């Protein structure tokens, strides 16, 4: 049905001959003058609505077997993407042949798809916990569709995610082009001291890190990640203390701090002195809400220093006791950190009566916000890594650890048992935190919407839990299932590689 606008008041003959009608009654003078019959006027109280369904359907061609091509944002090249909706038809055998819906032929430009994907997964989340993303949405919104490196980066992140989600390699090519253009524009912008020190530039570097996270975890990606982090630290140095005085600048810095601390903890590296100095400066401006994470960050710096020292030198038995004492001292500080937290950091365990595969061991922990989950899990990961380092150190000096031999010192036997119990309990707590982020129990019986920004900070904690030497196959299989779902919905390749690694550990535990 189509509304064709306000109908003409002219008589039929004047409308057909496109002449001005004088609207005289019972017959217009134009018709009388022309010697033709005036057929009168239409009812002006009615609207003309025409059924044009048949006409429109005749113009729509059904899609061929190969799916429609999507228009590339960088020229006239078409990028084919398979869409299940493009193959859908409505078939009713009693009423004739299949009917092809015209709206299935709408072509959405790639840049619009990428922009929608980015904002849906990384910037916009109106319901549930706030995503762990720098507090710079105003910058993102202002620059997303205009010219410049930030727009190219947003496009690249959206496209590479779509490429893996839709299994469309052609989109990866488009993502790489957008990424390359962003790097080119960033190099040019860095020659301007004002632009180099802007919030927009540091946000761009964080998006470079995000791109590497989404696109994979190969050695090349890891080296690129390191280069981007080094670049971000250089920008932090250039920006000076003023960046910590405003909310946006401080939020970007705190997000960067977390990224670097996780990387150093995971790889047993010392935290760069530049970051340590700026962390100390940031404590002067932090809010009460930010203070617990700041205290934890200082403890992580100490843990990284101890872990790196063990990696750098082979310990002899004379140093073993001192090393273990240092590990236990830092672990005690991490445990004490939990006792001084504000009330909004508290969480409660929920054990729903209905069994679901979404929950590990039928438990879901409820927090007051997503940031609390991420901070708690950083503390848990640090404790797991410290305790596993302790077990590893003992294994270097004693031939039998499981079960401990009779010649094994009694104090070390107790230490092994308590360490294993703590690692197992803490790994489970990481798994219990996932359903809250996924909003599984926001609405009874209806799982929440999975957003990449919310789930990315949980990939590494879940990996730590799944690779712990105490992890049973039931835990690893549960983590694998979650990773596969995350990779399918968000296209984040790190989830895929985590699942593959854990599958290998389930199949070949004796090789680990």
């Amino acid at each position: 049905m189509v509304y064709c606008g306000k109908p003409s008041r002219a008589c039929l003959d004047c409308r057909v001959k496109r002449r001005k009608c004088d609207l005289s009654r019972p017959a217009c003078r134009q018709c009388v003058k022309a010697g033709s019959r005036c057929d009168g006027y239409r009812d002006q109280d009615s609207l003309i609505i025409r059924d044009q369904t048949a006409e429109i359907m005749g113009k729509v061609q059904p899609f061929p077997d190969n799916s429609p091509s999507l228009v590339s944002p960088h020229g006239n090249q078409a990028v084919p993407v398979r869409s299940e909706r493009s193959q859908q038809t409505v078939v009713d055998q009693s009423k004739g042949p299949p009917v092809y819906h015209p709206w299935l032929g709408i072509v959405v430009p790639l840049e619009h798809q990428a922009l929608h994907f980015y904002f849906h997964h990384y910037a916009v989340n109106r319901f549930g916990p706030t995503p762990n993303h720098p507090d710079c949405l105003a910058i993102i919104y202002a620059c997303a569709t205009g010219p410049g490196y930030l727009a190219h980066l947003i496009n690249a992140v959206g496209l590479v995610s779509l490429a893996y989600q839709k299994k469309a390699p052609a989109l990866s090519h488009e993502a790489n082009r957008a990424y390359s253009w962003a790097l080119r524009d960033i190099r040019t912008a860095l020659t301007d001291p004002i632009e180099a020190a802007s919030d927009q530039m540091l946000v761009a570097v964080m998006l470079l890190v995000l791109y590497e996270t989404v696109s994979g975890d190969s050695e090349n990606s890891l080296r690129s990640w390191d280069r981007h982090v080094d670049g971000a630290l250089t920008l932090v140095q250039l920006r000076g203390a003023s960046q910590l005085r405003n909310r946006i600048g401080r939020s970007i810095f705190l997000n960067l701090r977390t990224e670097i601390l996780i990387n150093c903890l995971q790889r047993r590296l010392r935290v760069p002195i530049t970051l340590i100095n700026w962390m100390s400066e940031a404590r002067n401006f932090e809010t009460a809400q930010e203070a617990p994470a700041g205290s934890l960050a200082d403890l992580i710096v100490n843990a990284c220093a101890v872990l790196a020292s063990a990696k750098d030198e082979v310990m002899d038995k004379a140093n073993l006791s001192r090393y273990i004492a240092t590990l236990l001292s830092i672990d005690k500080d991490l445990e004490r950190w939990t006792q001084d937290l504000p009330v909004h950091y508290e969480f409660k365990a929920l054990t729903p009566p209905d069994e679901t595969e979404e929950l590990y061991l039928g438990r879901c922990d409820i927090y007051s916000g997503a940031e609390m989950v991420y901070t708690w899990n950083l503390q848990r990961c640090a404790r797991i890594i410290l305790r596993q380092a302790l077990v590893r150190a003992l294994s270097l000096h004693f031939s039998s650890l499981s079960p401990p031999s009779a010649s094994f010192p009694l104090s070390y036997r107790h230490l092994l048992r308590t360490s294993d119990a703590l690692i197992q309990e803490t790994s489970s707590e990481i798994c219990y935190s996932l359903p809250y982020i996924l909003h599984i129990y926001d609405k009874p019986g209806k799982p929440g919407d999975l957003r990449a920004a919310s789930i990315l900070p949980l990939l590494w904690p879940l990996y730590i839990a799944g690779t712990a030497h105490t992890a049973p196959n039931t835990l690893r299989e549960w983590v694998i299932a979650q990773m596969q779902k995350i990779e399918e919905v968000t296209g984040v390749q790190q989830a895929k590689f985590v699942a593959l690694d854990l599958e290998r550990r389930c199949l070949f535990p004796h090789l680990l």
Side-chain angles (χ1 to χ4, degrees):
M1 300 295 179
V2 179
Y3 169 57
C4 299
K6 185 177 180 180
S8 171
R9 298 173 61 195
C11 68
L12 177 60
D13 198 52
C14 287
R15 293 200 311 273
V16 171
K17 295 181 179 179
R18 295 182 180 275
R19 66 192 180 198
K20 186 174 182 180
C21 182
D22 66 0
L23 305 179
S24 299
R25 293 180 182 275
C28 84
R29 294 189 182 92
Q30 295 284 13
C31 292
V32 173
K33 189 181 204 179
S36 60
R37 191 183 75 173
C38 182
D39 291 324
Y41 305 90
R42 295 181 296 187
D43 181 7
Q44 295 300 308
D45 293 330
S46 64
L47 296 176
I48 301 302
I49 298 180
R50 292 203 297 265
D51 186 354
Q52 292 184 312
T53 301
E55 179 183 352
I56 295 299
M57 294 302 296
K59 295 178 181 180
V60 177
Q61 297 297 323
F63 293 120
D65 290 336
N66 56 336
S67 297
S69 295
L70 298 178
V71 179
S72 167
H74 307 304
N76 296 323
Q77 180 186 5
V79 181
V81 179
R82 177 161 294 280
S83 169
E84 293 181 2
R85 291 190 63 187
S86 67
Q87 304 299 320
Q88 292 177 352
T89 59
V90 176
V91 180
D92 188 338
Q93 299 295 341
S94 65
K95 295 184 179 180
V99 176
Y100 293 88
H101 285 289
W103 53 85
L104 297 182
I106 296 175
V107 176
V108 180
L110 277 182
E111 68 269 25
H112 293 168
Q113 295 184 64
L115 198 63
H116 170 75
F117 191 98
Y118 176 85
F119 279 111
H120 175 78
H121 278 283
Y122 296 104
V124 178
N125 193 6
R126 296 173 55 193
F127 306 103
T130 303
N132 186 32
H133 190 279
D135 188 9
C136 52
L137 294 186
I139 299 172
I140 296 289
Y141 281 120
C143 304
T145 58
Y149 53 83
L150 206 54
H152 287 316
L153 279 174
I154 292 170
N155 193 32
V157 172
L159 285 172
V160 77
S161 301
L162 284 172
Y164 291 118
Q165 185 198 48
K166 293 178 177 291
K167 296 179 173 55
L171 294 184
S172 294
H173 176 68
E174 293 296 320
N176 289 333
R177 291 177 65 185
Y179 186 74
S180 298
W181 289 341
L183 290 177
R184 177 201 61 192
D185 293 343
I186 287 174
R187 293 189 191 100
T188 302
L190 287 173
T191 60
D192 180 355
I194 296 178
E195 180 67 18
S198 67
D199 288 343
Q200 176 176 316
M201 179 59 72
L202 196 54
V203 170
V205 175
M206 299 302 294
L207 289 179
L208 291 175
V209 173
L210 177 59
Y211 183 88
E212 301 298 342
T213 301
V214 172
S215 59
D217 72 341
S218 65
E219 287 299 321
N220 290 333
S221 295
L222 186 58
R223 286 193 291 269
S224 297
W225 196 99
D226 288 339
R227 287 197 301 270
H228 298 327
V229 168
D230 290 342
L233 286 175
T234 302
L235 293 179
V236 167
Q237 189 78 11
L238 179 65
R239 285 158 60 86
S242 61
Q243 67 185 305
L244 303 174
R245 296 191 181 101
N246 69 81
R247 181 174 55 87
I248 293 179
R250 190 169 61 253
S251 179
I252 298 172
F253 171 78
L254 296 181
N255 184 272
L256 176 65
R257 180 189 68 184
T258 302
E259 292 279 350
I260 297 176
L261 289 178
I262 288 174
N263 182 53
C264 293
L265 191 58
Q266 183 179 13
R267 297 164 64 185
R268 280 57 164 179
L269 300 175
R270 286 182 172 85
V271 178
I273 188 63
T274 302
L275 181 65
I276 293 175
N277 292 337
W278 283 109
M279 284 171 53
S280 178
E281 184 72 18
R283 298 300 302 271
N284 298 323
F285 303 99
E286 68 186 12
T287 65
Q289 180 84 7
E290 297 164 351
S295 300
L296 178 60
D298 292 340
L299 296 177
I300 299 297
V301 170
N302 297 335
C304 290
V306 174
L307 293 169
S309 67
K311 180 180 177 182
D312 293 340
E313 58 186 36
V314 178
M315 294 176 300
D316 54 26
K317 288 189 178 181
N319 293 327
L320 179 62
S321 297
R322 185 179 62 198
Y323 175 67
I324 290 178
T326 305
L327 290 175
L328 291 175
S329 175
I330 298 174
D331 182 68
K332 188 65 177 178
D333 290 339
L334 288 168
E335 181 184 17
R336 194 178 296 115
W337 173 86
T338 66
Q339 300 169 5
D340 300 324
L341 292 174
V343 65
H344 59 269
Y345 269 81
E346 295 178 359
F347 62 90
K348 61 179 180 179
L350 176 67
T351 53
D354 54 318
E355 295 185 2
T356 170
E357 295 180 356
E358 300 290 345
L359 303 184
Y360 178 64
L361 300 182
R363 173 174 160 180
C364 169
D365 288 350
I366 305 301
Y367 296 77
S368 62
E371 290 298 331
M372 313 309 162
V373 178
Y374 307 142
T375 305
W376 266 105
N377 282 336
L378 179 58
Q379 183 262 6
R380 290 163 181 156
C381 287
R383 296 198 73 186
I384 292 173
I385 290 173
L386 286 171
R387 289 287 181 160
Q388 292 204 137
L390 186 153
V391 173
R392 192 177 301 110
L394 291 176
S395 69
L396 292 175
H397 300 284
F398 299 95
S399 58
S400 178
L401 287 179
S402 182
S405 63
S407 61
F408 200 76
L410 183 61
S411 60
Y412 285 165
R413 290 189 222 174
H414 175 72
L415 191 54
L416 283 174
R417 285 194 296 269
T418 56
S419 294
D420 285 352
L422 187 146
I423 292 171
Q424 190 164 3
E425 178 185 1
T426 308
S427 299
S428 297
E429 288 176 345
I430 291 174
C431 296
Y432 300 151
S433 71
L434 180 65
Y436 173 78
I437 296 296
L438 298 184
H439 318 301
I440 288 175
Y441 282 95
D442 282 0
K443 296 179 181 178
K446 183 179 179 182
D449 193 11
L450 192 156
R451 306 290 179 99
S454 296
I455 202 65
L456 275 178
L458 278 180
L459 293 183
W460 180 63
L462 287 171
Y463 177 76
I464 293 296
T467 55
H469 71 275
T470 60
N473 275 355
T474 52
L475 184 147
R476 288 175 177 159
E477 289 167 357
W478 182 85
V479 173
I480 289 169
Q482 308 312 309
M483 291 296 169
Q484 290 172 340
K485 179 170 64 176
I486 291 167
E487 193 266 336
E488 178 183 354
V489 175
T490 68
V492 174
Q493 291 303 282
Q494 273 197 353
K496 171 184 176 181
F497 289 110
V498 168
L500 291 174
D501 186 32
L502 294 182
E503 286 176 348
R504 180 174 61 88
R505 290 172 183 268
C506 288
L507 291 174
F508 308 107
H510 59 285
L511 298 179
L512 303 176

